[in-house]
Amino acid sequence: MIHHLLVPDLLEPPPASHETADILRFPVLERLLARADRKTAPGNLDANLFRLFQLQEHTAAVAPLCWLADSGEEASGWVLQATPVYLRADRDRVLLFPLEEKQMELQQAQRFASVFNRHFAQDGLVLKAASPLCWYLFTRNPVCADFADLSRVAGRSMGSFMPQGTDERFWRGVINETQMLFFQAEENQAREAQGRLPVSGLWFSGAGKLPEKRPVAPAEISGEYCLLAGLKKYATSIDPDCTITVIDGMAKARREQDVKSWLQAAAELEQRLTDMASSAQEICLYPCQGAAYYWKQRMKYRLWRRAKSLVVKGKYF
């Protein structure tokens, strides 16, 4: 049995804090990283998941699979993720920030979708809110543009990440029109009167259709991640020789600059590896940054490979 552990941002510096000033040690994790074989792997979580479910990245798309996970429905055409965002002016830039779950209710999300749908009806666009922050855009036409993932844009100037490709003018227009549309919406006026952040617009990503080839699911799946759930639902066969676990607590803690949550997530990963190390024949660890670490039982005897502390004075080696 091969155990695949996907841990986004594992090798990124933790949130800055005096609590990481002292030397922190995670001995099992450090030994695994030191003694395992390092091999090339995709540079993000989604692409790694597609490979592990035996799909080629260019034939699969995030949005329709996440829609399947959130709604239970298989979309017949093109789908994009349409995440509600807040825009903040900063001198000569406009910075983009995702909203938090507590800042939106489903009924309000559906009212924003109604405003959007009335305006873009003639363009063949339909916006649906599956949950307070998981919105999806359906289009009757193929999408001929590339979109930056929200994780790359969050907290940065959106101007550097606008859609690129044959239809870039159309999709940039949709983004700009949506900002003006929502700025005038009664829902936003009500939110601001309540002291809540407005929904400034939508950020599109994950465009595509469901792949013709069905994925192959592992014997066991663990982790709360939309794409993981969608791939599992869409799969029609099982690989009995592997498991997949997504652990995104460290990445989430870095986004929120929450050092306590980061330390807790790191400790939970250390405990999971401790429990697995004595019995697992093979562990594959994916930091989702272009490499993967393949560890087998015999590698624990590579004593000449000295483990190093992940964190010294708040910095990674």
Side-chain angles (χ1 to χ4, degrees), residues 13-17 251-260:
S17 170
K252 182 178 180 181
R254 287 192 73 253
R255 289 195 300 269
E256 298 175 355
Q257 286 298 293
D258 185 344
V259 67
K260 290 184 178 180

Side-chain angles (χ1 to χ4, degrees), residues 16-308:
S17 170
H18 67 279
E19 296 184 49
T20 57
D22 296 329
I23 296 177
L24 302 177
R25 301 308 304 258
F26 303 98
V28 177
L29 172 60
E30 291 161 9
R31 284 197 297 270
L32 185 149
L33 292 173
R35 298 174 184 176
D37 287 337
R38 186 178 185 273
K39 299 182 180 180
T40 301
N44 61 71
L45 174 58
D46 296 344
N48 276 293
L49 282 175
F50 286 142
R51 282 198 182 183
L52 291 175
F53 277 82
Q54 301 182 33
L55 291 175
Q56 295 181 345
E57 295 97 307
H58 72 277
T59 66
V62 174
L65 288 162
C66 285
W67 168 255
L68 174 61
D70 284 335
S71 69
E73 301 175 6
E74 293 189 8
S76 58
W78 285 78
V79 188
L80 303 89
Q81 290 173 303
T83 307
V85 295
Y86 165 63
L87 303 178
R88 189 183 74 197
D90 180 49
R91 296 185 180 181
D92 58 344
R93 303 181 302 167
V94 177
L95 305 182
L96 180 148
F97 299 90
L99 296 172
E100 297 181 6
E101 192 79 29
K102 61 184 178 182
Q103 296 172 337
M104 179 68 66
E105 296 83 31
L106 179 58
Q107 289 185 341
Q108 192 171 64
Q110 292 170 338
R111 289 195 289 270
F112 274 106
S114 296
V115 171
F116 180 97
N117 291 335
R118 286 194 297 270
H119 183 82
F120 288 100
Q122 293 184 346
D123 294 299
L125 302 178
V126 177
L127 183 65
K128 297 182 181 181
S131 66
L133 294 183
C134 294
W135 303 6
Y136 297 88
L137 185 64
F138 297 78
T139 173
R140 62 190 176 204
N141 298 317
V143 178
C144 299
D146 295 323
F147 302 85
D149 188 79
L150 180 63
S151 62
R152 293 177 55 205
V153 190
R156 299 179 179 177
S157 172
M158 62 178 292
S160 303
F161 298 93
M162 295 297 280
Q164 303 286 334
T166 304
D167 292 341
E168 65 179 54
R169 179 177 295 182
F170 172 78
W171 287 106
R172 291 183 183 200
V174 173
I175 290 173
N176 293 332
E177 284 186 51
T178 303
Q179 292 172 19
M180 294 184 287
L181 183 66
F182 284 179
F183 177 77
Q184 302 169 354
E186 293 182 2
E187 288 299 327
N188 262 336
Q189 296 174 15
R191 288 176 63 85
E192 293 191 73
Q194 298 166 0
R196 306 171 75 183
L197 292 176
V199 180
S200 304
L202 299 173
W203 189 257
F204 303 121
S205 60
K209 300 173 64 177
L210 286 172
E212 293 183 7
K213 178 186 175 182
R214 294 273 180 163
V216 178
E220 296 179 16
I221 294 174
S222 176
E224 296 182 3
Y225 188 60
C226 186
L227 179 59
L228 181 66
L231 286 165
K232 180 181 179 181
K233 283 190 176 183
Y234 197 54
T236 53
S237 56
I238 294 177
D239 180 355
D241 296 325
C242 74
T243 71
I244 293 179
T245 301
V246 172
I247 305 171
D248 62 352
M250 297 174 79
K252 182 178 180 181
R254 287 192 73 253
R255 289 195 300 269
E256 298 175 355
Q257 286 298 293
D258 185 344
V259 67
K260 290 184 178 180
S261 295
W262 187 92
L263 290 169
Q264 180 180 353
E268 290 175 356
L269 173 61
E270 176 74 5
Q271 185 59 54
R272 184 183 291 269
L273 290 173
T274 300
D275 295 340
M276 296 174 64
S278 60
S279 59
Q281 293 302 309
E282 187 169 353
I283 298 173
C284 300
L285 185 62
Y286 302 78
C288 303
Q289 295 170 294
Y293 296 82
Y294 291 79
W295 181 90
K296 297 181 179 181
Q297 281 288 340
R298 66 174 184 271
M299 294 178 182
K300 64 185 179 182
Y301 299 109
R302 292 176 169 178
L303 303 181
W304 63 92
R305 294 192 178 185
R306 300 292 299 274
K308 295 182 179 180

